[in-house]
Amino acid sequence: MPCQSLTAPQQGRWHDQQQLPSTMALSTRFVSPLRPTLAALHWAAPRQHRGLSTLPAPRHTLDLGGIFPPLATPFSPMQEVDYARLEGNLHHYASIPFRGLVVLGSNGEYPYLAPHEQLEVVSCVRQALPRDRLLLAGSGCESTQTTIKLTVSMAEAGADVALVVTPCYYKGAMTSSALVQHYTEVADASPIPVVLYSVPANTGLELPLEAVLTLAQHPNIVGIKDSGGDITRMGLMVHKTKQEDFQVLAGSAGFLLASYVLGASGGICALANVLGAPLCQLDRLCREGRWQEARDLQHRLIEPNAAVTRRFGIPGLKKAMEWFGYYGGPCRAPLAPLSAPQVEELRNTFSANGWL
């Protein structure tokens, strides 16, 4: 495996703007699918959460506060996973004060990877990632049984947290009670903490609020990535789970500031693959209560974020990565590359907001 252990440089354009928090990672040699409660015991003692400066800071067993890029999976021209290019991107990201990385999310083309590729990607990134940065890995499958098996395998490969998307193929049958049962069984069996993942743009299914509030009470479910963009819903999640060890993560950079105002802990944002340092800066400005500066920066991120998500999707994200020194490369079929006019429109979007 080409990935090597990385150490973040001591200096960089954005390095001094935010200090990376430290959390002890879960050692995979303690993994046991029969004893999920061990997961909580392996974390370091709770420490103060980096909350907004105007609000009391809750204490969490596992601090998810900060920015996580959901990594794009690099492919060769023959559409094979390119681990050398992955290592190169990780070297670039090492100087940015991310809280951690997400692999095998929607932007990682997770559904297009074979099971052995999924595990190899997790292992490769874990080997390269400093131990004080968290590794979240997507392990959601359509059946509960398969999700449990993959979650255990992800933990053995080095994942610290499982990011579990809603099963959706039979979405008409995915009632609140069915989803609560699914996630409860997964969390019961998982040797690592679980983060719920609601992404209705891809699944056509939003994890119901009442299901989220029920699942937030589970000791091995520590948060949710909500990509729906309903700020009222996110605010209710924060408000209704105050008594739980549960954190809400914004699933897009377009509403990151609004999410922080309502008490979200952090963000898992596709745009962080491209503009990771500015997003970490936005995170810091919000936590320091510097709202005017945060608002100005958020305004400049809205259009580029929409361009690499809703407008042009993963092909647009990978193309934009190339302009900022990362390897984007091709997507796996049937995802098609952008046309020349689309590339021009994408570039103009970044230029118009002062990024190129």
Side-chain angles (χ1 to χ4, degrees):
M1 192 67 61
C3 285
Q4 303 294 324
S5 178
L6 303 181
T7 301
Q10 294 303 306
Q11 294 182 346
R13 180 180 176 186
W14 297 84
H15 179 79
D16 294 331
Q17 295 178 351
Q18 179 177 354
Q19 293 298 315
L20 184 68
S22 253
T23 291
M24 182 178 294
L26 177 65
S27 173
T28 56
R29 66 177 178 273
F30 292 108
V31 168
S32 169
L34 300 179
R35 299 184 65 187
T37 54
L38 284 177
L41 300 177
H42 288 275
W43 297 106
R47 57 189 177 77
Q48 196 72 9
H49 173 62
R50 297 179 301 140
L52 295 176
S53 62
T54 55
L55 299 175
R59 297 176 69 87
H60 296 292
T61 304
L62 174 63
D63 185 358
L64 298 174
I67 301 298
F68 298 80
L71 296 182
T73 302
F75 296 110
S76 71
M78 299 302 293
Q79 298 191 13
E80 299 296 327
V81 177
D82 193 327
Y83 294 100
R85 296 288 193 174
L86 175 59
E87 180 185 4
N89 285 345
L90 292 173
H91 273 288
H92 286 296
Y93 291 137
S95 64
I96 301 174
F98 291 131
R99 179 66 187 92
L101 304 178
V102 175
V103 294
L104 308 178
S106 302
N107 291 283
E109 298 175 68
Y110 164 69
Y112 293 170
L113 298 183
H116 75 276
E117 292 175 320
Q118 294 170 355
L119 294 176
E120 287 169 359
V121 167
V122 172
S123 179
C124 178
V125 175
R126 178 71 275 174
Q127 182 181 350
L129 192 64
R131 296 304 299 183
D132 62 352
R133 299 196 187 191
L134 294 175
L135 178 58
L136 281 63
S139 64
C141 303
E142 285 301 310
S143 78
T144 304
Q145 181 184 46
T146 306
T147 300
I148 290 171
K149 291 175 67 175
L150 184 57
T151 300
V152 171
S153 295
M154 291 298 181
E156 292 171 342
D160 298 310
V161 180
L163 182 66
V164 183
V165 71
T166 51
C168 62
Y169 188 83
Y170 298 107
K171 59 177 173 286
M174 292 299 99
T175 62
S176 185
S177 60
L179 290 167
V180 167
Q181 181 67 23
H182 169 74
Y183 279 109
T184 298
E185 291 185 24
V186 171
D188 283 346
S190 175
I192 53 179
V194 170
V195 168
L196 312 173
Y197 182 18
S198 180
V199 55
N202 288 349
T203 63
L205 176 69
E206 186 170 66
L207 187 58
L209 178 61
E210 61 268 24
V212 175
L213 300 183
T214 299
L215 292 167
Q217 301 173 52
H218 194 290
N220 204 34
I221 295 177
V222 298
I224 182 171
K225 175 190 176 185
D226 195 305
S227 298
D230 185 337
I231 294 300
T232 301
R233 167 184 157 94
M234 295 185 71
L236 281 173
M237 286 181 191
V238 173
H239 177 59
K240 297 289 188 179
T241 61
K242 285 181 179 178
Q243 304 306 314
E244 312 298 339
D245 188 7
F246 188 81
Q247 296 159 84
V248 177
L249 301 173
S252 177
F255 50 86
L256 185 61
L257 170 59
S259 301
Y260 278 157
V261 170
L262 291 173
S265 296
I268 301 176
C269 308
L271 188 62
N273 284 281
V274 181
L275 297 177
L279 281 173
C280 289
Q281 173 71 348
L282 178 58
D283 172 86
R284 188 178 73 88
L285 292 171
C286 290
R287 297 183 189 283
E288 294 179 355
R290 296 159 61 182
W291 298 113
Q292 183 59 56
E293 294 172 77
R295 184 172 63 183
D296 292 343
L297 180 53
Q298 175 70 88
H299 286 167
R300 296 176 57 215
L301 295 168
I302 292 174
E303 289 181 314
N305 178 74
V308 301
T309 55
R310 296 192 307 270
R311 180 99 176 102
F312 298 118
I314 300 170
L317 176 66
K318 287 189 164 183
K319 175 56 68 175
M321 288 173 65
E322 301 280 355
W323 300 330
F324 290 85
Y326 305 106
Y327 176 81
C331 297
R332 265 192 176 163
L335 288 178
L338 302 185
S339 66
Q342 287 175 322
V343 171
E344 182 178 3
E345 182 180 345
L346 179 64
R347 177 177 279 276
N348 288 340
T349 299
F350 277 86
S351 298
N353 287 278
W355 300 114
L356 285 174

